[in-house]
Amino acid sequence: MTKIKETSTHSANKKVLADECPEVYASNIIGGQWSLAICCYLINGKLRFGELKKKLPNITERMLTLQLRKLEEDKIITRTVYAEVPPRVEYELTPIGYKLQSIIEELEKWGKEHQEINKSN
């Protein structure tokens, strides 16, 4: 993931939209294809990096690491490192992250309904 220049028009437009519209703000946090998928898997509880990688076989380790860092920075997930050899790291949704559950369930229902509409056309 490359950083967008803070001074770019794109960055300015994105910030203005997010400031004016909470839905856009939320979408900017969980709107990426990997972020939402990671949250979907973590709804069921803690997972280790390797477990997430197995559930998302098409994501690269680098991209998974970047997405996890971003979700942690946005306070959607927590990362717990255990002092073991080899080190054990677990990821879990934060309380605000767990509040995504009903939203994710609604998105799932909407997605299935939309897929059915598209199949019938």
Side-chain angles (χ1 to χ4, degrees):
M1 281 183 347
T2 57
K3 281 279 195 190
I4 297 170
K5 281 195 217 173
E6 295 291 327
T7 57
S8 73
T9 304
H10 176 75
S11 181
N13 288 341
K14 197 171 177 178
K15 181 172 178 2
V16 167
L17 268 173
D19 288 347
E20 292 179 3
C21 182
E23 296 86 353
V24 172
Y25 174 82
S27 174
N28 287 342
I29 293 172
I30 61 160
Q33 109 187 44
W34 298 118
S35 297
L36 186 56
I38 291 166
C39 290
C40 287
Y41 287 118
L42 290 176
I43 284 290
N44 298 316
K46 298 176 186 178
L47 289 173
R48 294 173 70 172
F49 184 91
E51 293 170 322
L52 279 167
K53 180 71 178 98
K54 284 178 187 167
K55 291 179 181 292
L56 300 163
N58 294 329
I59 194 171
T60 64
E61 286 190 13
R62 180 178 184 278
M63 181 55 70
L64 180 55
T65 299
L66 290 171
Q67 293 295 312
L68 289 168
R69 284 182 187 160
K70 173 118 178 43
L71 287 167
E72 185 179 11
E73 180 183 306
D74 290 333
K75 297 179 178 43
I76 303 299
I77 66 169
T78 57
R79 178 179 184 264
T80 305
V81 181
Y82 296 91
E84 299 175 357
V85 178
R88 178 170 52 112
V89 179
E90 290 181 338
Y91 297 91
E92 182 178 24
L93 290 173
T94 61
I96 193 75
Y98 275 112
K99 288 188 176 190
L100 289 169
Q101 184 165 4
S102 61
I103 296 164
I104 289 170
E105 288 169 354
E106 287 300 316
L107 279 171
E108 179 184 18
K109 285 195 303 196
W110 183 87
K112 286 178 180 177
E113 188 175 324
H114 194 265
Q115 283 176 330
E116 287 302 315
I117 290 169
N118 280 333
K119 284 180 186 175
S120 62
N121 288 337

